[in-house]
Amino acid sequence: MDKKKRVGILISGRGSNMRSLIEAAKNPNFPAQIVVVISNRPKAAGLQTAQDEGIKNLAIDHRKYDNRTAFEEDLHQALVEAKVDLICNAGFLRLLTADFVDKWHDRQLNIHPSLLPSFKGLHTHQRVLEAGIKITGCTVHLVRTDMDAGPIIAQSAVCVEPGDDEERLSARVLAAEHLLYPHALELFASEKVIVKNERIELADQNLTQADNRSGPIFSPTLPLKQQL
Ligand code: GAR
């Protein structure tokens, strides 16, 4: 395998998606290694998880900065110092300015708990339930200046079930996220997919579509491979 991509994960809270990436990266064949975890909130539970896993971790507390630019300069510097190739936002709930986003163009991934471009922003599951749609899901995409926009790497669909409330639905979508994010990072870090005209395409057209397909309907009981 080519050299593994060095990944920095940005979190703000519990970091369950971060954990799924850390677990996936333990596989010697995974094309990425997690080299640093950074939280904008010093009390984020995910920092302790990273610590327990022996991964370099630090808090860069945005509240200690007068403005976004100064915060982002330190964030950028910490990522550069860790020699990061790719950033994975994993529940990082801080808007980033165009300046930062441009510096990491095509090198920053994000996970969002809906089938984008529907339901961008916060309180996703509540809005999904209010809208009465029957299928939702999650998306991994490249970060662009517009919030929750950017080329889509992979998506997973999750059925909204009768009787769902926010808690039940978010738990099922989260379980799908935990399978989807490692899958998307694997595709992107291995360069099986590339960005072309702001869309994600297979790098090698000889690869089958299965190499770039997300799970059509997510079932927590099936491993992702069987859903492809
Ligand atoms: C996840 O559901 C993630 O998709 C969402 O925050 C949660 C973080 O959970 N992100 C967004 O809403 C970003 N717009 P985690 O800390 O357990 O990974």
Side-chain angles (χ1 to χ4, degrees), residues 11-19 90-93 110-114 121-122 124-125 138-139 147-148 170 173-174 177-178:
I11 61 168
S12 298
R14 80 192 143 181
S16 68
N17 277 291
M18 172 206 72
R19 186 191 285 275
F92 181 67
L93 303 176
N110 181 47
I111 187 154
H112 182 75
S114 77
L122 294 174
T124 318
H125 305 300
C138 47
T139 303
M147 186 186 59
D148 298 328
S170 67
V173 173
L174 192 66
E177 292 181 49
H178 294 162

PDB file of all heavy atoms in Angstrom, residues 11-19 90-93 110-114 121-122 124-125 138-139 147-148 170 173-174 177-178, ligand 1:
ATOM      1  N   ILE A  11     -13.185  17.380  16.794  1.00  0.00           N
ATOM      2  CA  ILE A  11     -14.409  17.031  17.526  1.00  0.00           C
ATOM      3  C   ILE A  11     -14.848  18.218  18.395  1.00  0.00           C
ATOM      4  O   ILE A  11     -14.083  19.162  18.616  1.00  0.00           O
ATOM      5  CB  ILE A  11     -14.204  15.790  18.434  1.00  0.00           C
ATOM      6  CG1 ILE A  11     -13.107  16.061  19.501  1.00  0.00           C
ATOM      7  CG2 ILE A  11     -13.858  14.563  17.631  1.00  0.00           C
ATOM      8  CD1 ILE A  11     -13.045  15.023  20.605  1.00  0.00           C
ATOM      9  N   SER A  12     -16.085  18.104  18.892  1.00  0.00           N
ATOM     10  CA  SER A  12     -16.564  19.074  19.889  1.00  0.00           C
ATOM     11  C   SER A  12     -17.178  18.382  21.087  1.00  0.00           C
ATOM     12  O   SER A  12     -17.493  19.028  22.084  1.00  0.00           O
ATOM     13  CB  SER A  12     -17.621  20.001  19.284  1.00  0.00           C
ATOM     14  OG  SER A  12     -17.096  20.760  18.227  1.00  0.00           O
ATOM     15  N   GLY A  13     -17.426  17.056  20.983  1.00  0.00           N
ATOM     16  CA  GLY A  13     -18.196  16.401  22.049  1.00  0.00           C
ATOM     17  C   GLY A  13     -17.778  14.978  22.316  1.00  0.00           C
ATOM     18  O   GLY A  13     -16.602  14.669  22.462  1.00  0.00           O
ATOM     19  N   ARG A  14     -18.790  14.071  22.268  1.00  0.00           N
ATOM     20  CA  ARG A  14     -18.527  12.697  22.765  1.00  0.00           C
ATOM     21  C   ARG A  14     -17.584  11.921  21.857  1.00  0.00           C
ATOM     22  O   ARG A  14     -16.901  11.008  22.298  1.00  0.00           O
ATOM     23  CB  ARG A  14     -19.860  11.975  22.956  1.00  0.00           C
ATOM     24  CG  ARG A  14     -20.443  11.429  21.702  1.00  0.00           C
ATOM     25  CD  ARG A  14     -21.863  10.969  21.786  1.00  0.00           C
ATOM     26  NE  ARG A  14     -22.446  11.336  20.507  1.00  0.00           N
ATOM     27  CZ  ARG A  14     -23.676  11.127  20.157  1.00  0.00           C
ATOM     28  NH1 ARG A  14     -24.503  10.552  20.994  1.00  0.00           N
ATOM     29  NH2 ARG A  14     -24.105  11.491  18.974  1.00  0.00           N
ATOM     30  N   GLY A  15     -17.591  12.226  20.561  1.00  0.00           N
ATOM     31  CA  GLY A  15     -16.593  11.622  19.678  1.00  0.00           C
ATOM     32  C   GLY A  15     -16.833  10.168  19.323  1.00  0.00           C
ATOM     33  O   GLY A  15     -15.887   9.410  19.134  1.00  0.00           O
ATOM     34  N   SER A  16     -18.120   9.779  19.156  1.00  0.00           N
ATOM     35  CA  SER A  16     -18.347   8.372  18.792  1.00  0.00           C
ATOM     36  C   SER A  16     -17.927   8.107  17.341  1.00  0.00           C
ATOM     37  O   SER A  16     -17.444   7.015  17.022  1.00  0.00           O
ATOM     38  CB  SER A  16     -19.793   7.961  19.037  1.00  0.00           C
ATOM     39  OG  SER A  16     -20.665   8.612  18.158  1.00  0.00           O
ATOM     40  N   ASN A  17     -18.094   9.087  16.460  1.00  0.00           N
ATOM     41  CA  ASN A  17     -17.596   8.897  15.088  1.00  0.00           C
ATOM     42  C   ASN A  17     -16.071   8.854  15.063  1.00  0.00           C
ATOM     43  O   ASN A  17     -15.480   8.101  14.289  1.00  0.00           O
ATOM     44  CB  ASN A  17     -18.118  10.005  14.173  1.00  0.00           C
ATOM     45  CG  ASN A  17     -19.511   9.710  13.668  1.00  0.00           C
ATOM     46  OD1 ASN A  17     -19.699   8.800  12.867  1.00  0.00           O
ATOM     47  ND2 ASN A  17     -20.494  10.445  14.161  1.00  0.00           N
ATOM     48  N   MET A  18     -15.466   9.680  15.888  1.00  0.00           N
ATOM     49  CA  MET A  18     -13.999   9.636  16.025  1.00  0.00           C
ATOM     50  C   MET A  18     -13.563   8.223  16.403  1.00  0.00           C
ATOM     51  O   MET A  18     -12.626   7.680  15.829  1.00  0.00           O
ATOM     52  CB  MET A  18     -13.573  10.632  17.112  1.00  0.00           C
ATOM     53  CG  MET A  18     -12.110  10.550  17.479  1.00  0.00           C
ATOM     54  SD  MET A  18     -11.808  11.134  19.175  1.00  0.00           S
ATOM     55  CE  MET A  18     -12.503   9.794  20.140  1.00  0.00           C
ATOM     56  N   ARG A  19     -14.286   7.633  17.364  1.00  0.00           N
ATOM     57  CA  ARG A  19     -13.923   6.287  17.817  1.00  0.00           C
ATOM     58  C   ARG A  19     -14.028   5.277  16.668  1.00  0.00           C
ATOM     59  O   ARG A  19     -13.188   4.401  16.527  1.00  0.00           O
ATOM     60  CB  ARG A  19     -14.834   5.856  18.971  1.00  0.00           C
ATOM     61  CG  ARG A  19     -14.433   4.535  19.583  1.00  0.00           C
ATOM     62  CD  ARG A  19     -15.528   4.032  20.520  1.00  0.00           C
ATOM     63  NE  ARG A  19     -15.566   4.750  21.780  1.00  0.00           N
ATOM     64  CZ  ARG A  19     -14.803   4.449  22.837  1.00  0.00           C
ATOM     65  NH1 ARG A  19     -13.947   3.471  22.756  1.00  0.00           N
ATOM     66  NH2 ARG A  19     -14.908   5.145  23.951  1.00  0.00           N
ATOM     67  N   ALA A  90     -15.627  15.349  12.948  1.00  0.00           N
ATOM     68  CA  ALA A  90     -16.492  14.303  13.505  1.00  0.00           C
ATOM     69  C   ALA A  90     -17.276  14.906  14.666  1.00  0.00           C
ATOM     70  O   ALA A  90     -16.832  14.879  15.806  1.00  0.00           O
ATOM     71  CB  ALA A  90     -15.659  13.111  13.957  1.00  0.00           C
ATOM     72  N   GLY A  91     -18.412  15.515  14.318  1.00  0.00           N
ATOM     73  CA  GLY A  91     -19.169  16.219  15.353  1.00  0.00           C
ATOM     74  C   GLY A  91     -18.435  17.472  15.796  1.00  0.00           C
ATOM     75  O   GLY A  91     -18.465  17.838  16.966  1.00  0.00           O
ATOM     76  N   PHE A  92     -17.777  18.121  14.848  1.00  0.00           N
ATOM     77  CA  PHE A  92     -17.084  19.390  15.131  1.00  0.00           C
ATOM     78  C   PHE A  92     -18.093  20.498  14.836  1.00  0.00           C
ATOM     79  O   PHE A  92     -18.425  20.748  13.679  1.00  0.00           O
ATOM     80  CB  PHE A  92     -15.841  19.518  14.251  1.00  0.00           C
ATOM     81  CG  PHE A  92     -15.046  20.775  14.492  1.00  0.00           C
ATOM     82  CD1 PHE A  92     -14.393  20.974  15.701  1.00  0.00           C
ATOM     83  CD2 PHE A  92     -14.939  21.749  13.521  1.00  0.00           C
ATOM     84  CE1 PHE A  92     -13.653  22.128  15.940  1.00  0.00           C
ATOM     85  CE2 PHE A  92     -14.196  22.911  13.742  1.00  0.00           C
ATOM     86  CZ  PHE A  92     -13.557  23.097  14.955  1.00  0.00           C
ATOM     87  N   LEU A  93     -18.602  21.111  15.906  1.00  0.00           N
ATOM     88  CA  LEU A  93     -19.750  21.998  15.736  1.00  0.00           C
ATOM     89  C   LEU A  93     -19.336  23.460  15.748  1.00  0.00           C
ATOM     90  O   LEU A  93     -19.843  24.278  16.518  1.00  0.00           O
ATOM     91  CB  LEU A  93     -20.794  21.698  16.816  1.00  0.00           C
ATOM     92  CG  LEU A  93     -21.277  20.234  16.832  1.00  0.00           C
ATOM     93  CD1 LEU A  93     -22.230  19.984  17.970  1.00  0.00           C
ATOM     94  CD2 LEU A  93     -21.884  19.813  15.498  1.00  0.00           C
ATOM     95  N   ASN A 110     -16.351  15.783   6.255  1.00  0.00           N
ATOM     96  CA  ASN A 110     -17.308  16.027   7.334  1.00  0.00           C
ATOM     97  C   ASN A 110     -18.398  14.959   7.273  1.00  0.00           C
ATOM     98  O   ASN A 110     -18.726  14.457   6.202  1.00  0.00           O
ATOM     99  CB  ASN A 110     -17.955  17.411   7.167  1.00  0.00           C
ATOM    100  CG  ASN A 110     -18.948  17.719   8.280  1.00  0.00           C
ATOM    101  OD1 ASN A 110     -18.651  17.524   9.460  1.00  0.00           O
ATOM    102  ND2 ASN A 110     -20.137  18.185   7.927  1.00  0.00           N
ATOM    103  N   ILE A 111     -18.942  14.632   8.444  1.00  0.00           N
ATOM    104  CA  ILE A 111     -20.112  13.743   8.464  1.00  0.00           C
ATOM    105  C   ILE A 111     -21.307  14.525   8.966  1.00  0.00           C
ATOM    106  O   ILE A 111     -21.189  15.323   9.906  1.00  0.00           O
ATOM    107  CB  ILE A 111     -19.885  12.458   9.290  1.00  0.00           C
ATOM    108  CG1 ILE A 111     -21.077  11.506   9.121  1.00  0.00           C
ATOM    109  CG2 ILE A 111     -19.615  12.760  10.773  1.00  0.00           C
ATOM    110  CD1 ILE A 111     -20.751  10.057   9.338  1.00  0.00           C
ATOM    111  N   HIS A 112     -22.442  14.327   8.288  1.00  0.00           N
ATOM    112  CA  HIS A 112     -23.657  15.041   8.667  1.00  0.00           C
ATOM    113  C   HIS A 112     -24.805  14.031   8.763  1.00  0.00           C
ATOM    114  O   HIS A 112     -24.939  13.159   7.901  1.00  0.00           O
ATOM    115  CB  HIS A 112     -23.980  16.122   7.626  1.00  0.00           C
ATOM    116  CG  HIS A 112     -25.186  16.927   7.989  1.00  0.00           C
ATOM    117  ND1 HIS A 112     -25.157  17.889   8.970  1.00  0.00           N
ATOM    118  CD2 HIS A 112     -26.465  16.867   7.541  1.00  0.00           C
ATOM    119  CE1 HIS A 112     -26.375  18.405   9.112  1.00  0.00           C
ATOM    120  NE2 HIS A 112     -27.174  17.810   8.246  1.00  0.00           N
ATOM    121  N   PRO A 113     -25.664  14.164   9.801  1.00  0.00           N
ATOM    122  CA  PRO A 113     -26.699  13.143  10.006  1.00  0.00           C
ATOM    123  C   PRO A 113     -27.975  13.346   9.195  1.00  0.00           C
ATOM    124  O   PRO A 113     -29.073  13.348   9.745  1.00  0.00           O
ATOM    125  CB  PRO A 113     -26.964  13.239  11.517  1.00  0.00           C
ATOM    126  CG  PRO A 113     -26.700  14.665  11.844  1.00  0.00           C
ATOM    127  CD  PRO A 113     -25.628  15.135  10.903  1.00  0.00           C
ATOM    128  N   SER A 114     -27.831  13.549   7.895  1.00  0.00           N
ATOM    129  CA  SER A 114     -29.001  13.552   7.005  1.00  0.00           C
ATOM    130  C   SER A 114     -28.519  13.195   5.605  1.00  0.00           C
ATOM    131  O   SER A 114     -27.315  13.143   5.351  1.00  0.00           O
ATOM    132  CB  SER A 114     -29.679  14.931   6.965  1.00  0.00           C
ATOM    133  OG  SER A 114     -28.940  15.823   6.160  1.00  0.00           O
ATOM    134  N   GLY A 121     -27.578  21.765   8.568  1.00  0.00           N
ATOM    135  CA  GLY A 121     -27.663  22.509   9.828  1.00  0.00           C
ATOM    136  C   GLY A 121     -27.993  21.651  11.040  1.00  0.00           C
ATOM    137  O   GLY A 121     -27.894  20.418  10.986  1.00  0.00           O
ATOM    138  N   LEU A 122     -28.401  22.310  12.102  1.00  0.00           N
ATOM    139  CA  LEU A 122     -28.627  21.626  13.387  1.00  0.00           C
ATOM    140  C   LEU A 122     -30.062  21.091  13.507  1.00  0.00           C
ATOM    141  O   LEU A 122     -30.903  21.371  12.658  1.00  0.00           O
ATOM    142  CB  LEU A 122     -28.333  22.590  14.543  1.00  0.00           C
ATOM    143  CG  LEU A 122     -26.869  23.035  14.674  1.00  0.00           C
ATOM    144  CD1 LEU A 122     -26.715  24.096  15.760  1.00  0.00           C
ATOM    145  CD2 LEU A 122     -25.938  21.856  14.953  1.00  0.00           C
ATOM    146  N   THR A 124     -31.318  18.237  13.067  1.00  0.00           N
ATOM    147  CA  THR A 124     -31.675  17.504  11.854  1.00  0.00           C
ATOM    148  C   THR A 124     -32.837  16.534  12.070  1.00  0.00           C
ATOM    149  O   THR A 124     -33.819  16.542  11.320  1.00  0.00           O
ATOM    150  CB  THR A 124     -30.449  16.685  11.390  1.00  0.00           C
ATOM    151  OG1 THR A 124     -29.306  17.492  11.541  1.00  0.00           O
ATOM    152  CG2 THR A 124     -30.586  16.228   9.975  1.00  0.00           C
ATOM    153  N   HIS A 125     -32.701  15.688  13.107  1.00  0.00           N
ATOM    154  CA  HIS A 125     -33.690  14.616  13.278  1.00  0.00           C
ATOM    155  C   HIS A 125     -35.076  15.177  13.627  1.00  0.00           C
ATOM    156  O   HIS A 125     -36.083  14.679  13.147  1.00  0.00           O
ATOM    157  CB  HIS A 125     -33.205  13.625  14.332  1.00  0.00           C
ATOM    158  CG  HIS A 125     -31.843  13.076  14.016  1.00  0.00           C
ATOM    159  ND1 HIS A 125     -31.589  12.369  12.862  1.00  0.00           N
ATOM    160  CD2 HIS A 125     -30.651  13.171  14.657  1.00  0.00           C
ATOM    161  CE1 HIS A 125     -30.316  12.027  12.822  1.00  0.00           C
ATOM    162  NE2 HIS A 125     -29.721  12.511  13.897  1.00  0.00           N
ATOM    163  N   CYS A 138     -27.352   9.477   6.462  1.00  0.00           N
ATOM    164  CA  CYS A 138     -26.165  10.268   6.798  1.00  0.00           C
ATOM    165  C   CYS A 138     -25.269  10.394   5.564  1.00  0.00           C
ATOM    166  O   CYS A 138     -25.379   9.596   4.622  1.00  0.00           O
ATOM    167  CB  CYS A 138     -25.417   9.659   7.971  1.00  0.00           C
ATOM    168  SG  CYS A 138     -25.148   7.879   7.843  1.00  0.00           S
ATOM    169  N   THR A 139     -24.423  11.403   5.605  1.00  0.00           N
ATOM    170  CA  THR A 139     -23.601  11.755   4.436  1.00  0.00           C
ATOM    171  C   THR A 139     -22.192  12.092   4.880  1.00  0.00           C
ATOM    172  O   THR A 139     -22.008  12.806   5.865  1.00  0.00           O
ATOM    173  CB  THR A 139     -24.196  13.023   3.753  1.00  0.00           C
ATOM    174  OG1 THR A 139     -25.554  12.782   3.391  1.00  0.00           O
ATOM    175  CG2 THR A 139     -23.395  13.416   2.510  1.00  0.00           C
ATOM    176  N   MET A 147     -22.071  25.836   4.516  1.00  0.00           N
ATOM    177  CA  MET A 147     -22.254  24.804   5.532  1.00  0.00           C
ATOM    178  C   MET A 147     -22.919  23.550   4.961  1.00  0.00           C
ATOM    179  O   MET A 147     -23.894  23.634   4.208  1.00  0.00           O
ATOM    180  CB  MET A 147     -23.122  25.372   6.663  1.00  0.00           C
ATOM    181  CG  MET A 147     -23.252  24.438   7.825  1.00  0.00           C
ATOM    182  SD  MET A 147     -24.404  25.073   9.050  1.00  0.00           S
ATOM    183  CE  MET A 147     -25.887  25.211   8.098  1.00  0.00           C
ATOM    184  N   ASP A 148     -22.369  22.388   5.336  1.00  0.00           N
ATOM    185  CA  ASP A 148     -22.927  21.089   4.952  1.00  0.00           C
ATOM    186  C   ASP A 148     -23.125  20.975   3.434  1.00  0.00           C
ATOM    187  O   ASP A 148     -24.087  20.360   2.954  1.00  0.00           O
ATOM    188  CB  ASP A 148     -24.251  20.807   5.701  1.00  0.00           C
ATOM    189  CG  ASP A 148     -24.042  20.740   7.212  1.00  0.00           C
ATOM    190  OD1 ASP A 148     -22.967  20.309   7.639  1.00  0.00           O
ATOM    191  OD2 ASP A 148     -24.944  21.152   7.955  1.00  0.00           O
ATOM    192  N   SER A 170     -32.132   9.223  16.002  1.00  0.00           N
ATOM    193  CA  SER A 170     -30.725   9.641  15.985  1.00  0.00           C
ATOM    194  C   SER A 170     -29.813   8.474  16.340  1.00  0.00           C
ATOM    195  O   SER A 170     -28.713   8.359  15.810  1.00  0.00           O
ATOM    196  CB  SER A 170     -30.483  10.835  16.907  1.00  0.00           C
ATOM    197  OG  SER A 170     -30.661  10.453  18.245  1.00  0.00           O
ATOM    198  N   VAL A 173     -29.478   6.435  13.136  1.00  0.00           N
ATOM    199  CA  VAL A 173     -28.637   7.142  12.144  1.00  0.00           C
ATOM    200  C   VAL A 173     -27.176   7.118  12.614  1.00  0.00           C
ATOM    201  O   VAL A 173     -26.261   6.906  11.807  1.00  0.00           O
ATOM    202  CB  VAL A 173     -29.125   8.594  11.923  1.00  0.00           C
ATOM    203  CG1 VAL A 173     -28.152   9.360  11.038  1.00  0.00           C
ATOM    204  CG2 VAL A 173     -30.516   8.599  11.295  1.00  0.00           C
ATOM    205  N   LEU A 174     -26.968   7.279  13.912  1.00  0.00           N
ATOM    206  CA  LEU A 174     -25.592   7.271  14.430  1.00  0.00           C
ATOM    207  C   LEU A 174     -24.910   5.926  14.169  1.00  0.00           C
ATOM    208  O   LEU A 174     -23.739   5.878  13.796  1.00  0.00           O
ATOM    209  CB  LEU A 174     -25.583   7.599  15.928  1.00  0.00           C
ATOM    210  CG  LEU A 174     -24.203   7.905  16.530  1.00  0.00           C
ATOM    211  CD1 LEU A 174     -23.615   9.192  15.956  1.00  0.00           C
ATOM    212  CD2 LEU A 174     -24.288   8.019  18.056  1.00  0.00           C
ATOM    213  N   GLU A 177     -23.823   6.026  10.772  1.00  0.00           N
ATOM    214  CA  GLU A 177     -22.651   6.909  10.638  1.00  0.00           C
ATOM    215  C   GLU A 177     -21.363   6.153  10.966  1.00  0.00           C
ATOM    216  O   GLU A 177     -20.339   6.323  10.312  1.00  0.00           O
ATOM    217  CB  GLU A 177     -22.780   8.109  11.587  1.00  0.00           C
ATOM    218  CG  GLU A 177     -23.884   9.086  11.214  1.00  0.00           C
ATOM    219  CD  GLU A 177     -23.938  10.263  12.187  1.00  0.00           C
ATOM    220  OE1 GLU A 177     -22.903  10.868  12.468  1.00  0.00           O
ATOM    221  OE2 GLU A 177     -25.046  10.576  12.676  1.00  0.00           O
ATOM    222  N   HIS A 178     -21.449   5.315  12.000  1.00  0.00           N
ATOM    223  CA  HIS A 178     -20.247   4.615  12.460  1.00  0.00           C
ATOM    224  C   HIS A 178     -19.716   3.630  11.427  1.00  0.00           C
ATOM    225  O   HIS A 178     -18.539   3.280  11.437  1.00  0.00           O
ATOM    226  CB  HIS A 178     -20.529   3.891  13.775  1.00  0.00           C
ATOM    227  CG  HIS A 178     -20.823   4.838  14.905  1.00  0.00           C
ATOM    228  ND1 HIS A 178     -21.449   4.473  16.061  1.00  0.00           N
ATOM    229  CD2 HIS A 178     -20.559   6.171  15.020  1.00  0.00           C
ATOM    230  CE1 HIS A 178     -21.565   5.524  16.860  1.00  0.00           C
ATOM    231  NE2 HIS A 178     -21.036   6.567  16.235  1.00  0.00           N
TER     232      HIS A 178
HETATM  233  C1  GAR B   1     -23.030  13.103  14.741  1.00  0.00           C
HETATM  234  O1  GAR B   1     -24.336  12.651  14.600  1.00  0.00           O
HETATM  235  C2  GAR B   1     -22.630  13.940  13.549  1.00  0.00           C
HETATM  236  O2  GAR B   1     -23.175  13.498  12.341  1.00  0.00           O
HETATM  237  C3  GAR B   1     -23.198  15.288  13.939  1.00  0.00           C
HETATM  238  O3  GAR B   1     -22.903  15.403  15.306  1.00  0.00           O
HETATM  239  C4  GAR B   1     -22.899  14.102  15.895  1.00  0.00           C
HETATM  240  C5  GAR B   1     -21.600  13.935  16.647  1.00  0.00           C
HETATM  241  O4  GAR B   1     -21.588  12.741  17.379  1.00  0.00           O
HETATM  242  N1  GAR B   1     -22.621  16.341  13.156  1.00  0.00           N
HETATM  243  C6  GAR B   1     -23.314  17.395  12.713  1.00  0.00           C
HETATM  244  O5  GAR B   1     -24.476  17.585  12.978  1.00  0.00           O
HETATM  245  C7  GAR B   1     -22.509  18.365  11.873  1.00  0.00           C
HETATM  246  N2  GAR B   1     -23.379  19.223  11.137  1.00  0.00           N
HETATM  247  P1  GAR B   1     -20.223  12.121  17.875  1.00  0.00           P
HETATM  248  O6  GAR B   1     -19.493  13.218  18.645  1.00  0.00           O
HETATM  249  O7  GAR B   1     -20.645  11.011  18.797  1.00  0.00           O
HETATM  250  O8  GAR B   1     -19.460  11.656  16.684  1.00  0.00           O
END
